Every structure is written in C-alpha cells, then in structure tokens.
Amino acid sequence: MSKKILIILIAVLVAVCGVSTYFHIRNRTESEENKKTYETVAEEISATEDSTAAPTSEAAVNPYTAGMGNGSGGSQSYTNTMTSAQNSDMVGWIKIDGTNINYPVMHTPNEPDYYLNHDFYKNQSVYGCPYVQANCDVNTPSDNVIIYAHHMNDGSMFANLELFRSKDFWKSHKKISFDTLDKKASYDILAVFAVPVDESDKNTFKFYEFVNAYDPDHYVKFVSRCKALSFYDTGVSAKYGDNLLTLSTCEYTHNNGRLVVVAKRK
C-alpha cells in the first residue's frame, strides 16, 4: 500500500470518528436537555399545587417525583392544582410505575400533530411531548382516549412501552395512571400488541379509528380484536360503557409499525 493511500485512509477514518463523536455528544446533550425540560415542568406544577394550599388529603402530589396515590380512579377534583400557566394545551399527566413514562399530556385539536415535534414549552424538539389524538375528548370522556409519543433511543417518551412485550414485566406493572385536570384515574392494561399502519390495506387493524362506539357491538368488536392481537392474555376485558385508554408509539418489527397498549379505566 502506498504512503499516499495510507494517509487518505487515515484521514477518512479520523473524519468518520469525528462525525460519530459529534453526533454521539449532540444526542447525549439533547437527551439531558429533554430530561431537564420535563423535570422543570413537574417542578412548576408542584409549585402551583403548593400555592393553592389545599388540604393534605386533597392536594395532588408532584407527579414526576412521587406516586400517584392508590389509583382508585375517583372523581377527586384538583383543577386549580394541576394547571401550568406556561401552557394551556396541557390536559393531563401520564405515569407508569417502573418505566420512564412520566409526562404531561397535551391536546391541540386544531393542530393535531403539533407536539410531535414541539416540547411542553412549544420549542422545536425531536422528542416532542405526549399528546392526545385530535378527535378524542379527555373531559367527557371519549369511549377511547388515544395518546401518542415518540419511541426515543434514550428510553424517553413512550420507548418503555417496549417493556410490555414481556408478560413477566406486565405482571408487576399492570396499571397506568392518567390524570386529567379535574380527575385522577387508574387503568388496568387490557392488551398489548404491534400492528402496521397501512391506510391502503383494509385488513390492517386501524385501532386509531375507534374513538366512540357506534353501538355496543362496535365496542365489543374493538375490544375483542385488541385481545386477539395481544402478545399475551391479561385476563382483563371491558364492556360497553367502560372508558378505554390507548397508548401508541413506533415499533420496528413491522413496516411503519405501532406498538399499542390498551387499558380499561378502573
């Protein structure tokens, strides 16, 4: 090998290593900044809670740093405590114990995917922020409230939904907390499955089309399809009138795949 070729190869190697290092450092920095962003959100909400001076038995806890109570799913109101003056788009907070899922949830019906690439403070962000599907209603609520978030490589946003592929993990993490601005609620996981999203294929399960049931049969068919696709039997089912919560993120065993967790409100 000539000296000239060797020098060129070394230069290429150095350049590749430099670029790789740059992206590694950038990704790590963005990951840390994203984590700090949502820690700040939680601190602001906690400070708002403190300022209301609600009785200890009624005050909401800091959803980022503490448990969410006994998950009774009651109608305890704390509208004034779970509000951030920074962003009125927030409609709730989602948390799953034993995972990194612990975030505010946004809703912008007029700009459905706004939080796909914006953080809580409306800054451009590849991480985005969990958000509710535009045609869902968290207040009434809809028969099915659907929440989306990215599957990030650092394990943030909804990446940890991957853990629920394992039945063993589900056995010790069966519940989801999703608190709206006026109610605390706990949900039992009903099904976990992965499907491709293909609008042109009438045979694919378009879980995102089910928001409100036309009638009891429509509801039962949706629940039955979810359970049939589930990686394992959770022993949980739902009847017409039960409120459902669906979490969705990207997955990579299908072309344009989605990992989906469906749960029933207690």
Side-chain angles (χ1 to χ4, degrees):
M1 182 183 295
S2 70
K3 184 177 180 180
K4 183 177 181 180
I5 294 176
L6 181 60
I7 291 174
I8 292 173
L9 289 175
I10 291 173
V12 171
L13 180 60
V14 169
V16 170
C17 289
V19 171
S20 178
T21 301
Y22 164 76
F23 281 109
H24 175 75
I25 293 173
R26 189 190 70 173
N27 291 341
R28 185 179 181 85
T29 300
E30 289 179 346
S31 177
E32 289 299 321
E33 289 176 349
N34 180 68
K35 181 179 178 182
K36 289 178 181 177
T37 292
Y38 289 102
E39 287 175 344
T40 300
V41 174
E43 289 168 0
E44 289 178 348
I45 293 172
S46 181
T48 305
E49 292 164 0
D50 292 343
S51 69
T52 63
T56 303
S57 60
E58 298 179 4
V61 298
N62 182 338
Y64 193 92
T65 59
M68 299 301 287
N70 59 13
S72 62
S75 59
Q76 175 183 354
S77 175
Y78 58 113
T79 304
N80 293 331
T81 63
M82 195 173 170
T83 301
S84 173
Q86 296 288 340
N87 195 336
S88 60
D89 292 339
M90 187 179 82
V91 294
W93 195 284
I94 189 162
K95 184 176 188 294
I96 305 178
D97 289 337
T99 75
N100 293 330
I101 298 171
N102 199 358
Y103 297 105
V105 177
M106 320 305 283
H107 194 204
T108 51
N110 294 326
E111 294 183 75
D113 295 320
Y114 180 82
Y115 286 97
L116 188 68
N117 52 19
H118 289 83
D119 67 16
F120 178 85
Y121 298 107
K122 301 187 178 183
N123 299 311
Q124 283 282 336
S125 170
V126 295
Y127 290 83
C129 187
Y131 65 96
V132 175
Q133 183 168 294
N135 61 339
C136 293
D137 182 348
V138 301
N139 296 315
T140 302
S142 308
D143 290 336
N144 186 27
V145 173
I146 306 169
I147 303 176
Y148 299 100
H150 285 301
H151 181 160
M152 302 304 294
N153 290 333
D154 65 354
S156 64
M157 296 296 122
F158 278 4
N160 277 176
L161 290 184
E162 282 287 341
L163 297 171
F164 287 98
R165 289 181 184 270
S166 166
K167 187 173 184 178
D168 286 340
F169 183 83
W170 162 80
K171 285 179 179 178
S172 55
H173 304 86
K174 295 183 178 182
K175 300 184 185 305
I176 300 170
S177 293
F178 176 49
D179 296 353
T180 60
L181 300 188
D182 64 346
K183 289 183 177 66
K184 290 188 174 186
S186 178
Y187 294 76
D188 292 325
I189 293 175
L190 181 152
V192 184
F193 56 90
V195 290
V197 173
D198 185 350
E199 293 292 340
S200 65
D201 186 350
K202 65 179 182 180
N203 294 317
T204 60
F205 182 40
K206 299 175 178 59
F207 66 90
Y208 44 85
E209 292 183 348
F210 182 81
V211 174
N212 284 303
Y214 307 134
D215 52 39
D217 185 57
H218 183 212
Y219 186 98
V220 169
K221 285 181 178 178
F222 174 78
V223 171
S224 297
R225 187 73 185 274
C226 291
K227 291 186 66 63
L229 290 169
S230 186
F231 298 132
Y232 44 82
D233 182 11
T234 64
V236 177
S237 190
K239 63 183 184 301
Y240 182 63
D242 288 336
N243 295 122
L244 301 176
L245 177 69
T246 296
L247 310 184
S248 174
T249 192
C250 292
E251 69 91 42
Y252 307 105
T253 65
H254 295 85
N255 183 32
N256 197 22
R258 297 294 184 274
L259 183 63
V260 183
V261 176
V262 180
K264 178 185 75 170
R265 184 168 176 171
K266 293 173 66 68

